[in-house]
Every structure is written in C-alpha cells, then in structure tokens.
Amino acid sequence: MSDSIEGTVAAATGLQNWAMMQEKDNLLLRKVLDGQANTILSLVNSVPSTPQLATSGMVGTLLHVTA
C-alpha cells in the first residue's frame, strides 16, 4: 500500500510543479500581450484623426474635371 501512496504523492507533486510552470508561462504571455497592446495603441493614437489636405502647391489643390 505504501507504493500507491508514494505514487499518489509523486503525481500530486508533479501536478503542482506543472501548474506552477503553466502559471509562470501565462504571466509571461500576459506581459507580452499587454506590451504589444500598448505599442499598437500608441501607434493608433499617433495617427491624426483628420487627414491634412494640401493648401498650396501644384498637387492636390486644384481639381480639373472634363466631362
């Protein structure tokens, strides 16, 4: 009977170690995803909300239409 108890204890210890490693991996993944989200958010926020149109020069200031 002591073999079954030792096996059960070894299995429980192994599962605890596995759960701890998974928790560390999940924490690292969350940090990476949060960093990527912050980078994307800063890129999106850096784009002006309204496009700047040309007000002088030859390109984009005059429209010539022939029907």
Side-chain angles (χ1 to χ4, degrees), residues 8-63:
T8 303
V9 170
T13 304
L15 286 173
Q16 285 177 338
N17 289 340
W18 180 81
M20 187 172 38
M21 289 183 350
Q22 289 298 314
E23 186 64 31
K24 287 186 341 187
D25 288 346
N26 288 341
L27 182 62
L28 177 62
L29 177 62
R30 172 58 52 200
K31 286 182 179 181
V32 169
L33 290 176
D34 286 344
Q36 289 178 347
N38 289 337
T39 300
I40 291 171
L41 188 59
S42 68
L43 287 173
V44 168
N45 288 336
S46 69
V47 175
S49 59
T50 57
Q52 300 297 321
L53 301 177
T55 56
S56 63
M58 297 291 294
V59 178
T61 56
L62 302 174
L63 178 64

